[in-house]
Structures are given as structure tokens and as C-alpha cells.
Amino acid sequence: MLDDVQQFLTDQYFSRGKYGIRVDAKVTDLPGNKVALVFDIKEGKRARIEQINLVGNSTFKEKDVLGSLELKTPNLLSWYKQDDRYSREALTGDQEKLRSFYMDRGYADFQIESTQVTIAPEKDDMFITMSIHEGDRYKVSEIKLAGTMVVPEAELRKLLLIKPGDIYSRKAVTSSQELMSYRLGADGYAFSKIDPVPTTDKEKKTVSLTFFIEPGSRVYVRHINFLGVTDSNDETLRREMRQLEGGWLSNSALERSKERLQRLPYVEKVEFEKKPVAGSGDLVDVDFTVKEGFPGQFGGAIGYSQAQNAYVKGDVVLNNFFGTGDRIATDIAVGTYNKTYALSHTDPYTNIDGVSRTTSLSYHEGTRYVSASSRLSTEETSISSSWAYPISEYQNMQAGLAANKADLLTTLGYSSLQSVNWARSNGRTYFSRDFEPGAQFYYYGTKFNTYEVTAGWSFDSRNRALFPDRGTRGVVTARITVPGSDVNYYAVNSDFLKFIPVWGKYVLSIHGAIDYGSPLGRTTSLPPYLNYFAGGIDSVRGYRDSTLGPRDNINAGDPYGGNLRIIGNIELLIPVPEKFKTSVRVALFYDIGNVFQTGSKVEFKGTDKYTPVEYHFEQWSDLRRSVGIAVQWMAPLGLLRFSFGVPLNPYKGDDVNYPDSIERFQFSVGQAF
């Protein structure tokens, strides 16, 4: 018995690569027919892989083959990856990787003839030798589908990732098998079997593939149960289901149901299990185990962003009001230049068709549009209501109404001349002046009401709302003022985001946005607070926040904004450990974009305060570009974003035009409490 314990302990250390282990047992007799056992364990060093040899490899470079394996000889990252430490489990996995390397490249007869592992006398260095037989390279001669075809054969053939004439690939065969099985599962054949059988012709060096399809019986769902739910009403979760009770079991519908549940803001994690009903061969119950998060949040933030400088924010958000799924939010934000107070209510299901409605009321008071722009005073009160109607599983159409009451006050000599001119020419204008010892102040203001009609379309197939790595999101919105408004305009905004796997766990993120607004009727231009800005961590990194585009003549040329904005971002997402995947993002980026002013009713002067300057979009070189690295971290107390950008084509300025403002390191920090 004692020997068995010693051997068990030794085996445990062997499995972890510690072959210098020594286990000594000391037995001491005690009164009462008892003994005391003491195990003296000397672990020794963990064995490292000194060399990996391939015998019989003649087609590929040895470094390319060994590069596909998990086990490696010591390298610069071994201290972190621990990939130079030998274990039997890792070796078994690498043998399968080696088979896949060759069989995915046409070597259907590949075999591992022997594997030898030797250890140095000091038991700290390992030597691995694998003798292989490559065989010949095969092509696919024909592909047959046999068995019971409950789905049209032509439809199944569209799912084949390999065709006659291709180099044989076990990976392509397995992927085709999985796609066909998934397609059968969508029609209720959840337990279908698809067996690919290859037949080789050694003389012609070809492989004939036959997929034997056995769909089995169609399976139906008896009950759908939600486990672990305490705060949500049953209806709130059940309306997200795409798998219905009484319908046939569909793997795709179950996965989509899981995804919809996980995207609810008050749900953290969802898993499901299919349980056969006793005594029935074609019925199952589906149990969704739901881990609920907080139904809301109560708190605030203090922080700093380069767009608004210091800010204090308090909010109360109820994402699952009394278990109904309704969202009620209040928001109070007070910054150096802006104050905002807002209240909104969202009912995600106003009727059985899934129409959602959002009603909001807000008040905004500011002295600048962004921290870098010129001084002025704005006061705006708005009320709006919008509806979203789902036209497909991933698409929505939106429509809404909004009413705004605004008061814009400018000061001659302190506010930008463009803002002063706009206040003097639009809305219900007024004028006042103030005298102080040695100074006179002239105020030009305007009050106006606007009534807007909004419309939009959205598509969203992302797997997560925060740090997604697959899927697509597209949004197009438009708004236009209606008769009865004191100023008239329209605006169109478009935004596109797509994630594309490129190699391994590396993902390419492509983002583009175009925003355009224009006045209507006698209105001279967009209200200044509706202008678009660019530059900074949210648009074109490496350039100072909100400074790209038109400049006024206050100070050294403060940004005024424009009515056309073009932004593009390409990011290569760097893989991070799995446990940090939903909280950390590291990316290499390429940004491009700028802001322009179309038309001729808004006049700008150069650095000499006299020469007219235009900010029209005429050629692609007008777009500013940058490259760099960005890091985002969802810390326990808020989202932290950092970027280091290098501008590629900054404009250095001349006797008339203002230079671009460079800011390589940029950040946005918030801290909740």
C-alpha cells in the first residue's frame, strides 16, 4: 500500500515534467497500533525540451513543421508560455497536430511510425525523436453523398469545402461534415450522423470521398425551462427564444436563443442542455441555465477625457425594471464646459411583433462644444420618442419624433466669428451690450425651436456588445426638420463595423463612418452645436482631440467643426489570454479621416485674419492618416483607453493655413464609485 502511494505521487510529478522527483517515506510507530507517515519529497528541476528531431521529413522545412506543435525548444517567450516544458499530454496532442499538418496538405497515408523520448542523466533535459512516413500527396477524384436525404442533395453539396481536383485535406473534410450536420440540425435532425469515408487509389494518387448521411428521427422540444432565474419574469426571457416549444429541435435556433439572452444587459452567462424525455425517442426538454447580473446600476464617475476635460457623472440605470426588461435611466453629467441632465425609458417589446419604444427628456447647458473650441453659451431642452421595428433577426428600422428648444448666446471678440454670424442670421435673434470700466461687451444671441422627424436602419450580428471579435454592425440614420421650425436642416449619419478573422486568433476590425448635414431654406448653415469634429482617441488618433478641419480666428485658430466628416479605422486585434478576452483589447491601428465644410455660406479666414480659406473635400490627400497601438481595459471601476499614434501626413501650415495639432499619446479614463 505504501509503495502504491509513493508511485502515485511520483507519477503525478512525472506528468508535470519533473523527472528528478524523489519520494521517501518514513514510518513511525505510535501507541494504539497506529503509525505516522511522513513523505519527504524532493521535486528537482522541471525537465526542459532540449531538442525535437523529425526523421523521415523530406517535403517541408523542419522549422515549419515544428512551428505547428505546442511543445518547443527554449525560446524568448518560454518563460511566459511554458512551451519548453515536457508533458505526456502535450506530446499526445502534438502527435495529432503533426498528423493534421500533413493530412491537411494532401498526405492521406501519413503515419507516425515511432516516438522516442529520452532524458539526460541529470533528468533536466528531454530529447524527442519522431520517426514519420510522409507517403504520397493525393488529390480528390470524386465526392459522393449517400444515405437518406432529408435535405436536398444540391443544398448539402453547397456546404462542401472540398471539390474534385482539390488537394486532399482532412480539415476541409471535417469542416464539411460539421456544416452538413449543422444544416440537418436546423431542420430538427439534431442527432444526425455523417461519416466521411475516404478510399485511396495508390496508383493514381487520388482519394474518392463518400459522405454517409444518417439523419435519424426528427426531434421535437417538449418544454423550455429557465434555471437560476430570480429577478426576471418568465416572459422577459421567453420572448428572446428562437427555439419554440412544440417545434422541432434546431441547433441553430438554440444557439441564436443563447446569443440573444447573453446580449441582454442584465444577463451575464447562458448555457443550455438538451435532455431526452424518458420513454420517448423524439422528445427533449431544453434547460437554459441563466446567470443573472445586476438588474441595474447606481453610481457615478469622476474622470478626465481630452474632449471634455474633467467631469463628474452620476447615473441610475434600471435595465430590468421589476423583471420586465424595461430600461429606465437617469443621467447627470457635469464637466468643465458642459452640463447634461437626461431621463429616458425604453420598452423593448411594446407589442407581440417586438417593436421597441424609447422616450427621452434632456437638458444641456454648455460653454464650448469641445474643450479646444471657442467660448459661447448654449442652452438646449429636448424631448423625443422613437420606435424600432425588427424586419429580420439582425435588422431593425427606426422612426421617431423630436422637439428641441435652444438658446445660443455669443460674445463678439470672444466667440468665433462664425458663431456670431450664425446667431445674427438665424432664429429669433436678439442683441445686448454691457459696459464695464475700460471695456464694452456686445452679445448676439438667438432663440429657436426645431421639430425633427428621424428615421434609420440598423444591422447588428456582433457576438458581444463590449469587445466583440466577430460579426458586423451597420447603422444609417437621418433626421430632418419639419415646417414650424425656426431653423431648418437635415443630417445623415452612417456607421459600419466588421470583424474579419485573418490568421489564427488574429482578427481585423474595419470601421468606417460618414456624417453629413446641410441647411434648408433660409437657414445659413447647421446650428454650430450640431457641427462634426474629428481628431483624438475616438476618430483619428495621433492628432489632438477635435482639432482637425475648419478653424476659427480665436486664439491660435480654435476648431469650429464642419458639416461633413469622414472617418476610417483599421485595427489588427492582438490575441490576449482567454481569461482577459472580454476585459482587455490590444490593437495595432491605421486611422484616416478629417472634417470639412461644404458650401460657401460659412466664411473662414487664415492665420493673417484676412485671407479667405476654404475647407472643402477635394482629394484623398485631404484626409489625415496615422498608425499606432491602442490598449483598452475594462477595469473593475471603469473603461480605460490609451493610444500612441504617429501621424503620417500632418499639415505643417503656411502663411495662411493653420498647422495640424499633434498629440501622439492620448487617453480616456473614468472611475466609478
Side-chain angles (χ1 to χ4, degrees):
M1 182 65 179
L2 186 58
D3 292 339
D4 292 340
V5 174
Q6 287 180 284
Q7 187 60 46
F8 173 80
L9 292 174
T10 301
D11 291 342
Q12 292 299 307
Y13 278 94
F14 278 6
S15 67
R16 289 163 174 78
K18 293 193 173 184
Y19 294 93
I21 180 68
R22 179 178 176 182
V23 180
D24 295 322
K26 181 179 180 181
V27 182
T28 304
D29 292 326
L30 298 176
N33 199 27
K34 297 179 181 180
V35 295
L37 293 178
V38 176
F39 291 97
D40 183 17
I41 300 176
K42 295 181 179 179
E43 295 182 344
K45 294 182 179 180
R46 188 169 186 174
R48 300 196 311 168
I49 301 172
E50 184 64 27
Q51 190 173 13
I52 302 177
N53 298 313
L54 284 180
V55 179
N57 172 46
S58 59
T59 305
F60 301 100
K61 294 181 179 179
E62 186 171 282
K63 67 175 184 178
D64 294 336
V65 180
L66 297 181
S68 66
L69 306 184
E70 178 183 349
L71 295 177
K72 301 183 185 301
T73 54
N75 54 79
L76 292 176
L77 295 178
S78 293
W79 63 271
Y80 172 68
K81 294 184 176 181
Q82 301 289 303
D83 53 7
D84 62 342
R85 306 298 175 89
Y86 173 80
S87 71
R88 287 195 295 262
E89 292 80 2
L91 179 60
T92 301
D94 278 347
Q95 288 175 323
E96 185 58 32
K97 286 183 174 68
L98 188 58
R99 292 188 186 93
S100 297
F101 182 90
Y102 277 90
M103 299 186 76
D104 291 345
R105 291 163 174 78
Y107 295 87
D109 290 337
F110 174 82
Q111 291 182 353
I112 299 177
E113 296 179 334
S114 64
T115 301
Q116 295 180 346
V117 180
T118 57
I119 188 169
E122 297 81 8
K123 296 185 178 181
D124 56 358
D125 288 328
M126 306 290 294
F127 300 86
I128 301 174
T129 302
M130 288 185 280
S131 179
I132 63 175
H133 171 70
E134 291 182 337
D136 297 312
R137 200 178 194 190
Y138 288 78
K139 288 187 175 182
V140 177
S141 59
E142 63 176 347
I143 301 176
K144 299 178 181 178
L145 301 183
T148 306
M149 300 295 170
V150 293
V151 173
E153 181 175 340
E155 188 172 342
L156 292 178
R157 283 191 173 275
K158 293 179 180 179
L159 302 175
L160 294 174
L161 302 180
I162 191 170
K163 60 182 183 295
D166 288 350
I167 299 297
Y168 174 78
S169 169
R170 187 174 69 171
K171 181 179 180 180
V173 172
T174 302
S175 298
S176 300
Q177 175 189 9
E178 292 174 351
L179 287 173
M180 288 190 288
S181 179
Y182 193 79
R183 175 61 185 88
L184 291 172
D187 282 357
Y189 300 94
F191 303 116
S192 61
K193 294 181 180 180
I194 300 179
D195 296 320
V197 178
T199 303
T200 59
D201 186 329
K202 297 185 180 299
E203 293 183 359
K204 297 181 179 180
K205 305 298 185 293
T206 60
V207 176
S208 175
L209 277 172
T210 302
F211 290 90
F212 288 95
I213 301 172
E214 178 53 51
S217 301
R218 177 172 274 176
V219 180
Y220 294 83
V221 176
R222 185 182 68 166
H223 296 307
I224 295 177
N225 306 308
F226 298 103
L227 308 179
V229 178
T230 58
D231 297 326
S232 301
N233 298 339
D234 183 81
E235 177 188 0
T236 302
L237 302 180
R238 198 167 295 276
R239 65 194 181 191
E240 302 296 334
M241 291 294 99
R242 293 302 177 258
Q243 172 67 65
L244 303 179
E245 292 181 342
W248 65 61
L249 178 65
S250 169
N251 291 330
S252 59
L254 284 176
E255 289 294 339
R256 179 55 182 161
S257 299
K258 173 185 174 180
E259 189 175 79
R260 288 180 65 90
L261 287 174
Q262 287 185 147
R263 292 185 60 168
L264 294 175
Y266 43 88
V267 172
E268 288 188 11
K269 185 179 180 181
V270 177
E271 298 292 342
F272 65 82
E273 182 181 4
K274 296 170 286 188
K275 294 184 176 181
V277 176
S280 175
D282 61 353
L283 287 177
V284 298
D285 290 336
V286 180
D287 292 341
F288 282 88
T289 301
V290 179
K291 182 181 179 182
E292 293 182 299
F294 292 108
Q297 64 182 43
F298 308 85
I302 56 175
Y304 180 91
S305 70
Q306 290 172 316
Q308 299 298 336
N309 283 6
Y311 65 87
V312 178
K313 180 180 179 181
D315 59 78
V316 177
V317 179
L318 300 176
N319 292 314
N320 191 16
F321 188 63
F322 287 115
T324 63
D326 286 11
R327 183 180 188 272
I328 296 179
T330 62
D331 186 24
I332 300 175
V334 179
T336 305
Y337 306 113
N338 293 279
K339 299 177 182 178
T340 300
Y341 309 91
L343 173 66
S344 67
H345 168 256
T346 300
D347 182 354
Y349 285 86
T350 59
N351 61 17
I352 195 173
D353 295 321
V355 175
S356 66
R357 180 187 66 238
T358 299
T359 304
S360 62
L361 174 67
S362 66
Y363 172 81
H364 174 78
E365 179 182 314
T367 57
R368 297 186 185 184
Y369 312 129
V370 294
S371 63
S373 62
S374 304
R375 292 184 176 275
L376 79 167
S377 175
T378 61
E379 185 176 347
E380 181 185 8
T381 303
S382 64
I383 183 171
S384 65
S385 187
S386 62
W387 295 263
Y389 178 79
I391 58 176
S392 74
E393 184 62 26
Y394 299 99
Q395 298 183 77
N396 283 282
M397 296 294 293
Q398 298 97 29
L401 301 170
N404 305 279
K405 179 181 180 181
D407 186 351
L408 173 65
L409 179 64
T410 64
T411 306
L412 187 63
Y414 294 89
S415 302
S416 67
L417 184 59
Q418 293 79 14
S419 297
V420 173
N421 290 338
W422 194 93
R424 297 175 65 180
S425 306
N426 300 277
R428 304 187 302 275
T429 63
Y430 60 91
F431 168 76
S432 65
R433 59 184 177 179
D434 189 16
F435 296 94
E436 292 184 6
Q440 295 186 29
F441 298 93
Y442 296 89
Y443 303 102
Y444 295 91
T446 179
K447 297 181 180 181
F448 55 93
N449 298 329
T450 59
Y451 308 98
E452 299 178 353
V453 174
T454 62
W457 167 88
S458 66
F459 176 92
D460 194 348
S461 63
R462 295 173 300 165
N463 58 332
R464 289 185 297 270
L466 182 65
F467 296 147
D469 55 13
R470 63 178 174 86
T472 302
R473 185 196 68 194
V475 180
V476 178
T477 59
R479 60 179 177 176
I480 185 171
T481 55
V482 298
S485 300
D486 295 319
V487 297
N488 294 281
Y489 54 85
Y490 72 91
V492 179
N493 309 102
S494 62
D495 190 278
F496 176 82
L497 175 65
K498 186 173 182 62
F499 296 93
I500 304 173
V502 289
W503 179 72
K505 294 183 178 181
Y506 288 87
V507 176
L508 198 65
S509 169
I510 300 177
H511 171 256
I514 299 178
D515 304 297
Y516 177 76
S518 179
L520 295 173
R522 296 182 179 180
T523 304
T524 59
S525 64
L526 284 181
Y529 61 83
L530 291 182
N531 282 341
Y532 302 110
F533 294 86
I537 200 168
D538 291 316
S539 53
V540 186
R541 289 159 284 196
Y543 297 87
R544 189 182 171 206
D545 190 88
S546 304
T547 59
L548 292 179
R551 299 286 190 94
D552 62 28
N553 295 103
I554 302 298
N555 300 321
D558 291 337
Y560 180 75
N563 70 324
L564 171 63
R565 176 172 59 187
I566 302 174
I567 299 295
N569 313 100
I570 299 177
E571 294 186 336
L572 179 64
L573 307 185
I574 308 301
V576 297
E578 190 68 26
K579 63 180 179 179
F580 300 125
K581 195 173 183 179
T582 59
S583 60
V584 174
R585 171 151 291 179
V586 181
L588 303 177
F589 66 80
Y590 170 82
D591 291 346
I592 183 171
N594 210 334
V595 172
F596 306 94
Q597 181 68 50
T598 64
S600 58
K601 292 186 177 181
V602 182
E603 297 181 353
F604 296 94
K605 304 297 182 181
T607 57
D608 59 1
K609 316 295 184 183
Y610 176 77
T611 306
V613 175
E614 293 184 345
Y615 291 94
H616 296 169
F617 177 40
E618 297 177 349
Q619 52 191 356
W620 286 108
S621 60
D622 294 334
L623 299 176
R624 298 296 179 257
R625 299 185 294 274
S626 66
V627 295
I629 185 171
V631 178
Q632 299 182 61
W633 176 34
M634 177 54 74
L637 299 180
L639 180 64
L640 283 69
R641 297 187 298 165
F642 306 90
S643 70
F644 183 83
V646 179
L648 298 179
N649 62 336
Y651 185 68
K652 297 181 179 179
D654 53 31
D655 294 338
V656 176
N657 297 285
Y658 290 99
D660 290 332
S661 299
I662 307 302
E663 192 171 59
R664 289 181 171 82
F665 178 75
Q666 297 173 318
F667 65 94
S668 178
V669 182
Q671 182 176 3
F673 59 92

